[in-house]
Amino acid sequence: MSSIAVPRQRERNVLAAAFGFVRYHVLTVYSLLFFAYLLLPIAIVVVFSFNHPVGKFNFTWQGFTWDNWRYWDGIPGIRGAIILSLEIALIASVIATALGTAIALALVRYGFRGRATTNILIFLPLSTPEIVLGASLLTLFLNLNVVFGFWTILIAHIMFCISFAVVTVKARLVGFDRHLEEAAMDLGANEWTTFRKVTLPLTAPAILAALLLCFAISIDDFVVTYFNSGSSVTFPLFVWGAARIGAPPQVNVIGTAIFVVALTAMLANVVFQRRREVRA
Amino acid sequence: MAVEERIEQSPERAAEPSGTPDVRLERVTKRFDDVVAVDDLSLEIERGSFFALLGPSGCGKTTTLRMIGGFEEPSAGVIYLGDHEVSGTPPYKRDVNTVFQSYALFPHLSIFENVAFGLRRKGTRGGNLKGKVEEMLDLVQLSGYGRRKPRQLSGGQQQRVALARALVNSPRVLLLDEPLGALDLKLRKEMQLFIKRLQHDVGITFIHVTHDQEEAMTMADRIAVMNRGKIEQLGGPDDLYERPQTAFVAGFLGISNLLTGEVSGRDTVRLGDGTTIRVRADALDGRSGRVAVGIRPEKIRPDDQDPNALQGVVRERAYIGVSTQYIVETRYGNVTVVVLNDRPGSIPHSPGDHLTLSWDPEATFILDPMEEPA
Ligand SMILES: Nc1ncnc2c1ncn2[C@@H]1O[C@H](COP(=O)(O)OP(=O)(O)O)[C@@H](O)[C@H]1O
Ligand SMILES: [Mg+2]
């Protein structure tokens, strides 16, 4: 090494270190800002569920209280709205997942006339604006002369959930080795046993994911529900109605509760998958 | 090993007359839209034999196997398992098991449950089930692996689980579709011998599909060479290698030198420049007109000790270790010669050397002449 090369080398090292410092810290700051942006609204919802508001609005911090949680159904109508939302979400997600799984199986497994068309049709509800979906369902129900309420909401929710279920389950089936089912049949399992012993267990994670996804989409749907609910009120409709005349902190309580449940389900899923991988 | 006792023959199979072939295909054709995958193929596979279907990729081997297994139905023709016609019988009612190329082990089940899968379907339970599965795992040298999951095993071990899972059902026929394709060369060689020994021990008919001629010759008693959905030739490994009947078979099983000429006698062929060479009379089999005389490279000697002789100049030389391969230019084109390096010392011939080549008439085979490129 010559004597001139040494300072140069050092200079370059300093530059590289500076660059590394900036790169490292800019990334950190950027990430922190990003998460703040993402999480701040949720944090505010949670914090204000413990607020003790004066008057109708829950916008300024007045003092800490457990009352909102203790009297979570202290506003007329909120209890019925929550129950209706849970019922709809539960039934809709189960039916949509069952139907969606069947459709996904048919689409991946069997060549039939119109398979390509079906594949495209499945994506339509995913790409159609919800407002259009809601309005056209309204027109349909009006033409059929049905009574608006529980059933119209349920039918609407099943309809837009199916597509999500199909897409979720299909993704899993596409990567599924068809020879596994042939191997089962080769070893003496008929179609039904093959489905029970091989297809279903291997698709179960995707079916569970579809179920959770449908539940989550259904329970917070506003637009489509608004068009087709008649006089029934789901939780999102209730919140919207309440927000016009005030903002009761109980809304924050329910919002926080849903968030916690969703977070728990997600973490449980991650842990479960990890354990499966470790064990397998 | 007294494995024969472990593999129980089904009463139905034991009652068949001993000469009944285990598998018989009668004029079987399979079309996929406008592709003819298998073309009017007839075949009989003797009980207890190790049979190989050999051919290039896309020649219809897998399709043939899948029709025997029940995963595809023939477009025409009939398939018999023993004396039963099996058209329309689903795979789970056929007395046949398959080792898939991808192994297709059930990823969610343990090795034990993978092997037990077929037995459970037949209602085997408890100690009987455990005993049979463990015996089978022992046979494929995997005892103690029962509690693991397939992906915790190496490729070679998975391969043996696939074998055990199929064989534990003591099927009439075991189908193997390129079972060694995913293994590296060394392991593949080991598994070839392992499977051959296994077949010998259990005495079940094996049908083995491969595109590797060495693998087929190492393992099988009888080989059907397939090309474009048809069987080109069926015979023992030595038949196919020493006496190929078509240029395709000759080429697929190794290098061969072909000299074109005119039949000039019961056991002689006259080449283009008037040189007469002697050939095997039974290979000529009363033919006349133009024929191609084939000689394998290792049957040609680099001296004049044998009756048929030819002059040439060495053009290329490739040292392979166990042997040396020469390309020798002669009046009839380039001739490939392989000489075993079985003497200590240097390689005797160099490019540019003049050389006399000779071979025994018994070492020749006769083919239809190839269309000469215009
Ligand atoms: N399910 C199928 N649909 C359409 N064509 C097929 C199907 N299976 C096989 N083929 C065609 O049949 C021919 C033979 O295929 P295959 O039996 O897989 O050959 P190999 O196993 O000898 O490589 C190929 O041309 C292949 O493209
Ligand atoms: Mg194949």
Side-chain angles (χ1 to χ4, degrees), chain A residues 180 182 185-186 191 197 280, chain B residues 66 92 97-98 105 108:
Chain A
L180 290 176
E182 289 186 347
M185 292 211 180
D186 187 74
E191 288 84 356
K197 294 283 178 193
Chain B
R66 288 174 60 83
Y92 51 86
N97 286 112
T98 307
L105 300 180
H108 58 303

Side-chain angles (χ1 to χ4, degrees), chain B residues 192-313:
Chain B
Q192 286 173 5
L193 298 176
F194 178 80
I195 293 177
K196 177 145 185 69
R197 211 162 45 232
L198 193 66
Q199 192 272 339
H200 179 81
D201 288 347
V202 299
I204 288 175
T205 308
F206 279 30
I207 305 181
H208 181 108
V209 158
T210 176
H211 64 266
D212 179 341
Q213 99 278 359
E214 239 181 81
E215 183 173 303
M217 289 201 278
T218 308
M219 298 173 80
D221 308 323
R222 288 176 74 70
I223 302 172
V225 181
M226 281 185 74
N227 184 26
R228 298 176 185 201
K230 289 178 182 296
I231 291 181
E232 289 259 338
Q233 190 176 344
L234 197 157
D238 53 335
D239 284 337
L240 297 175
Y241 185 77
E242 308 277 342
R243 292 173 289 281
Q245 283 160 9
T246 68
F248 179 83
V249 175
F252 201 76
L253 272 76
I255 304 171
S256 52
N257 298 297
L258 295 178
L259 305 172
T260 311
E262 198 88 31
V263 177
S264 59
R266 200 181 59 87
D267 62 353
T268 53
V269 170
R270 188 164 43 242
L271 303 182
D273 66 342
T275 315
T276 296
I277 56 172
R278 287 198 19 232
V279 297
R280 256 187 321 127
D282 63 321
L284 212 48
D285 194 23
R287 278 173 187 254
S288 59
R290 288 180 72 73
V291 293
V293 179
I295 318 114
R296 294 288 184 193
E298 74 283 359
K299 305 282 195 296
I300 301 178
R301 307 169 52 129
D303 55 35
D304 55 5
Q305 299 298 302
D306 271 328
N308 288 320
L310 214 56
Q311 306 297 321
V313 182

Side-chain angles (χ1 to χ4, degrees), chain B residues 4-53:
Chain B
E4 282 92 326
E5 295 155 33
R6 302 184 198 171
I7 306 292
E8 300 153 20
Q9 295 275 313
S10 76
E12 178 195 302
R13 226 183 293 156
E16 280 168 14
S18 62
T20 316
D22 258 338
V23 181
R24 188 149 60 93
L25 276 69
E26 243 177 53
R27 310 204 59 180
V28 169
T29 297
K30 179 67 186 180
R31 272 179 228 100
F32 294 107
D33 303 319
D34 48 358
V35 181
V36 182
V38 174
D39 189 3
D40 198 19
L41 185 130
S42 296
L43 187 61
E44 278 190 8
I45 298 169
E46 200 184 310
R47 176 170 303 179
S49 60
F50 198 130
F51 193 91
L53 280 173

Side-chain angles (χ1 to χ4, degrees), chain B residues 58 61-63 101 177-178 209:
Chain B
K61 307 179 296 291
T62 297
T63 306
Q101 173 163 18
D177 189 358
E178 313 235 6
V209 158

